[in-house]
Amino acid sequence: MAPKVAGMITEYNPFHLGHHYHIAETKRLLNAEAVVAVMSGSFVQRGEPALLDKWSRASAAVEGGADLIIELPALFAVSSAEYFATAGVHLLNQLGLVDMLSFGSECGSLETLRDSVKDLSHLDVRWKTARKSHPELSYPALKAKLLTDSGLQSASTPNDILGIEYMKAIEALGASLSPFTLQRAGHGYHDLSLEQENPQKIYSSASAIRSALLAGAPLSTVEKTVPAQTLTALEKASGNFPEQGTRYELLKYRLLLHTPDTLSQIHDMEDGLPERILSAVKSAVDYETLVTAIKSKRHTRSRIERVLVKILLDIPTTMIGQNRETLPAYLRILAFNERGRHLLNQAKKTAGLPLLTRIRPQDLKDPVTGPQLLFDIRATDLREILCGRNVYAQDLTRPPVYVK
């Protein structure tokens, strides 16, 4: 019998003790011999640059129990939960080796999430009409309203919402993945407090760790919330974390080049949003005031931040489409251990997409892989600029990290 291989869709921003717990418990409860994680690269789903570079985060994850890390291409990593989940499920499925998808959730119940998937599928026919009737509501708010109006329960917590999208994607793609959920342990996703009394068992959120470090807190503040390998990576990067001020200045320049018509070509724009953004930038004094001025009942903060990074990266609607018709075109390897090397050897026979350990000139010229890879390169270069470093084209020179 072939060994069980569990998959995960992650960001590891940064890799902390809660992530280590998820990997260890997944292996224990599923009797999995290996874990493959699809991980966001230089930017993450909320539209922010990752705290650490993707190779450091991938390496920390392998040292923390994962066996193989595959990059979620930038085009999909900075998109909505539906795109993010669909792309991640597609990559795990296309590897041809993964049996199960393990994800954390607040409810910890696969049945509860399955019920929500069924409920949402019944509402698909009402969606377009409801969107026109309630243009003031954001996507999450409208979805919650439809469920409530139908007497159904609405998932409102971040991991539950993603879990539902993973299960919807498995069904939509016909993926050969069995879902498995583990109840989230420790502080909530948005909880910005750092656990002080028992950080080894009550895990601080990645949001809390990032918030503390970006606010200038010393590394000693978070040293008990992350494993040693992440702490080492943070020490190396200290003083060169992404700068919000630089992001704002670059955004101001990019917006100078746009009219409402040209801005409407950026992915995820809706009627009225280009004008709202161009108006807000005239009076904004920094990134926070810009986001606050654009945000509305219809447009959540996370949605706005994703749109802003798509402006910086110049991602047009034509690259992704509006209905998830475009999917990742390659399996880009970021890090692996000896077990991961064995998986890669197997994947040469089973994978339904090209396996990339290095980006070659022909990969960039390929009409399918090339355009997506160019956005990965652009995202990594932009992150380096935001970190105040003059290092370019690392995607063309850095090999995957082999963790012995």
Side-chain angles (χ1 to χ4, degrees), residues 42-44 47-51 214 237 239-252 254 287 305 308-309 312-313 378-392 394:
S42 297
F43 280 77
V44 296
E48 297 176 349
L51 189 67
L214 291 174
N240 290 110
F241 295 135
E243 283 286 340
Q244 195 177 85
T246 306
R247 186 170 19 154
Y248 173 65
E249 295 300 324
L250 291 174
L251 260 172
K252 279 201 303 183
R254 287 294 304 164
Y287 184 81
E305 291 207 76
L308 292 179
V309 78
L312 278 176
L313 293 171
R378 187 180 296 176
T380 300
D381 286 350
L382 174 59
R383 185 187 170 280
E384 288 300 308
I385 292 171
L386 298 179
C387 291
R389 290 193 291 255
N390 294 315
V391 183
Y392 298 97
Q394 292 185 80

Side-chain angles (χ1 to χ4, degrees), residues 38 45 57 68 70 78 82 85 93 133 151 154 169 175 197 229 249 292 314 321 355 359 381-382 399 401:
V38 170
Q45 204 251 338
R57 287 159 39 233
L68 175 63
I70 296 169
V78 298
E82 295 92 336
N93 194 49
S133 302
S154 169
E197 293 185 12
Q229 65 270 25
E249 295 300 324
T292 301
D314 198 23
L355 286 165
I359 298 177
D381 286 350
L382 174 59
V401 181

Side-chain angles (χ1 to χ4, degrees), residues 34-325:
V35 164
V36 176
V38 170
M39 186 192 80
S40 301
S42 297
F43 280 77
V44 296
Q45 204 251 338
R46 61 175 60 196
E48 297 176 349
L51 189 67
L52 295 171
D53 71 76
K54 58 191 178 186
W55 293 279
S56 296
R57 287 159 39 233
S59 176
V62 173
E63 288 189 57
D67 300 289
L68 175 63
I69 309 295
I70 296 169
E71 180 174 5
L72 182 63
L75 288 174
F76 309 95
V78 298
S79 290
S80 67
E82 295 92 336
Y83 282 89
F84 180 93
T86 302
V89 167
H90 174 68
L91 289 173
L92 289 173
N93 194 49
Q94 288 298 310
L95 191 64
L97 297 170
V98 180
D99 308 291
M100 301 155 288
L101 172 60
S102 174
F103 55 89
S105 64
E106 284 82 8
C107 71
S109 167
L110 210 55
E111 286 308 308
T112 298
L113 297 176
R114 277 202 180 101
D115 288 343
S116 293
V117 170
K118 291 176 185 175
D119 293 342
L120 287 169
S121 67
H122 294 318
L123 301 176
D124 285 347
V125 293
R126 296 173 49 198
W127 180 256
K128 289 184 180 179
T129 303
R131 197 73 178 120
K132 291 178 181 178
S133 302
H134 300 280
E136 77 285 358
L137 295 180
S138 66
Y139 173 79
L142 182 56
K143 185 163 65 174
K145 176 176 171 53
L146 285 177
L147 286 168
T148 301
D149 289 350
S150 301
L152 303 171
Q153 189 172 3
S154 169
S156 58
T157 50
N159 294 107
D160 281 359
I161 290 169
L162 263 180
I164 290 168
E165 294 304 332
Y166 294 147
M167 294 171 73
K168 284 171 59 181
I170 289 172
E171 185 175 322
L173 296 173
S176 301
L177 301 173
S178 299
F180 170 78
T181 191
L182 192 66
Q183 188 165 29
R184 183 184 176 94
H187 291 193
Y189 182 88
H190 293 301
D191 191 337
L192 298 184
S193 63
L194 291 168
E195 173 62 27
Q196 302 295 335
E197 293 185 12
N198 194 6
Q200 303 295 317
K201 291 187 177 180
I202 302 175
Y203 309 115
S204 298
S205 70
S207 298
I209 296 167
R210 288 194 307 275
S211 178
L213 293 175
L214 291 174
L219 286 175
S220 58
T221 307
V222 303
E223 65 181 353
K224 292 182 180 179
T225 68
V226 297
Q229 65 270 25
T230 295
L231 190 62
T232 298
L234 289 170
E235 287 170 346
K236 289 180 180 177
S238 185
N240 290 110
F241 295 135
E243 283 286 340
Q244 195 177 85
T246 306
R247 186 170 19 154
Y248 173 65
E249 295 300 324
L250 291 174
L251 260 172
K252 279 201 303 183
Y253 171 70
R254 287 294 304 164
L255 289 171
L256 280 175
L257 306 179
H258 279 290
T259 65
D261 284 344
T262 61
L263 202 55
S264 68
Q265 304 305 309
I266 297 295
H267 185 256
D268 218 15
M269 285 289 179
E270 287 184 341
D271 290 346
L273 189 53
E275 291 83 359
R276 191 176 181 88
I277 292 172
L278 291 172
S279 173
V281 76
K282 293 176 183 178
S283 57
V285 295
D286 55 24
Y287 184 81
E288 281 300 320
T289 56
L290 176 63
V291 172
T292 301
I294 302 168
K295 192 173 64 169
S296 66
K297 284 186 178 179
R298 181 173 181 176
H299 304 114
T300 62
R301 180 186 177 96
S302 56
R303 166 79 181 280
I304 294 305
E305 291 207 76
R306 284 195 296 271
V307 167
L308 292 179
V309 78
K310 288 175 183 178
I311 294 170
L312 278 176
L313 293 171
D314 198 23
I315 299 176
T317 296
T318 52
M319 275 303 304
I320 312 179
Q322 296 284 21
N323 296 302
R324 288 167 281 167
E325 57 265 33

